[in-house]
Amino acid sequence: MRLEDKVALVTGGGRGIGKGIAECLAREGAAVVVADIDGASAESTAQALRKAGGRAVGVEADVTRADQVDAMVRTATQELGGLDIAVNNAGVVGAKELEDLSESEWDRVMTINVKGVFLCCKAQAPLMAAKGGGTIVNLASVAGKIGFPGLSHYCASKFAVVGFTNSLAKEFARKGVTINAICPGLVGTDMWMGAEGLASVWRNEGESVEQAWERFVETLLPQGVPQTPEDIGEMVVFLATAPHVVGQSINVDGGYATH
């Protein structure tokens, strides 16, 4: 197991991509703090990891609150003995044309997706540097490299994560902390398949959510298959074991960004 004796923290780990990442990290031997704004889902994922033979703790945490982020990091150090890998995955999406995009919706997306990553890195990176090293992975998106109509605020937030990650990686490169971003493509989580997900918002007249999803996968992805939470988790594991990969924003997108 490549991550035996390591301690990992995953925000937004109660479901979706975050849950898949937590499962991959645990499978490789890491003890995992599963953090989520929904404490019940965090504990449910942690319980499943424990049942599978791993060490895991569920924590309720709002990544937009500095005090809760600090408490989340303390849980890793006090209950599991340290912090070696941090995955800042918590995020939200929203689809609005500019004319319908309110200031409050702009603030919601930017606060969770950008401020949340900032607060997490601020709590994690100095701690890792002080003990001699660690790995931080921030979740961006292919929408952090390519603009999409109707997603201007979401794209702005993910472009910000890519830029922040690259800058911070250079700041901590000689302190033993590797910092990178992952840019998922189309993953069939609630962001796409939920009641207010993108497939629902963007479906054609007469289409079901599932039919709209299949159309997006077929037309947007050269491979013709969606990505999975496990795909993203496997990239996290790679980055946690790659000491000379620094400041990158790596697509896991089935070839989408080659368009």
Side-chain angles (χ1 to χ4, degrees):
M1 292 189 288
R2 289 175 286 175
L3 302 177
E4 194 170 6
D5 299 325
K6 301 294 185 182
V7 176
L9 164 65
V10 183
T11 69
R15 58 182 180 169
I17 289 176
K19 181 178 180 181
I21 292 170
E23 290 169 347
C24 285
L25 290 167
R27 194 155 54 239
E28 290 294 338
V32 184
V33 174
V34 180
D36 202 287
I37 195 167
D38 179 352
S41 68
E43 180 52 37
S44 176
T45 297
Q47 187 175 40
L49 298 181
R50 292 193 297 269
K51 187 174 181 180
R55 295 174 63 210
V57 177
V59 176
E60 182 175 330
D62 180 347
V63 297
T64 71
R65 294 273 305 275
D67 58 337
Q68 294 190 27
V69 169
D70 290 343
M72 172 184 76
V73 171
R74 281 198 303 273
T75 296
T77 59
Q78 293 176 358
E79 296 195 29
L80 295 179
L83 182 61
D84 304 292
I85 303 160
V87 185
N88 300 316
N89 163 76
V92 294
V93 71
K96 295 285 184 181
E97 299 288 340
L98 181 62
E99 293 87 346
D100 300 319
L101 179 57
S102 67
E103 182 179 356
S104 62
E105 172 64 3
W106 172 276
D107 288 345
R108 179 185 76 93
V109 170
M110 296 297 286
T111 299
I112 296 171
N113 291 0
V114 185
K115 181 182 177 181
V117 169
F118 157 69
L119 289 176
C120 287
C121 287
K122 187 173 175 63
Q124 298 155 357
L127 177 67
M128 291 179 179
K131 74 176 187 63
T135 298
I136 294 175
V137 180
N138 297 324
L139 267 289
S141 168
V142 290
K145 295 183 175 181
I146 301 170
F148 291 81
L151 287 180
S152 60
H153 57 324
Y154 180 71
C155 290
S157 73
K158 294 303 185 178
F159 269 78
V161 170
V162 167
F164 176 73
T165 298
N166 184 264
S167 179
L168 203 66
K170 295 170 182 176
E171 189 173 326
F172 281 86
R174 296 199 180 190
K175 300 176 182 179
V177 184
T178 62
I179 305 176
N180 294 282
I182 296 176
C183 298
L186 275 64
V187 184
T189 62
D190 282 350
M191 281 192 176
W192 274 98
M193 303 299 291
E196 298 182 4
L198 298 179
S200 179
V201 173
W202 288 341
R203 59 182 170 168
N204 292 330
E205 186 175 354
E207 272 189 329
S208 68
V209 171
E210 291 74 19
Q211 289 170 330
W213 167 250
E214 291 172 2
R215 174 168 55 85
F216 294 134
V217 169
E218 178 63 28
T219 58
L220 294 178
L221 301 180
Q223 284 190 325
V225 295
Q227 289 67 69
T228 66
E230 185 176 12
D231 291 333
I232 313 306
E234 289 174 350
M235 181 55 72
V236 169
V237 171
F238 166 74
L239 290 172
T241 57
H244 303 299
V245 180
V246 176
Q248 303 303 305
S249 297
I250 301 174
N251 298 345
V252 181
D253 66 352
Y256 175 78
T258 61
H259 277 245

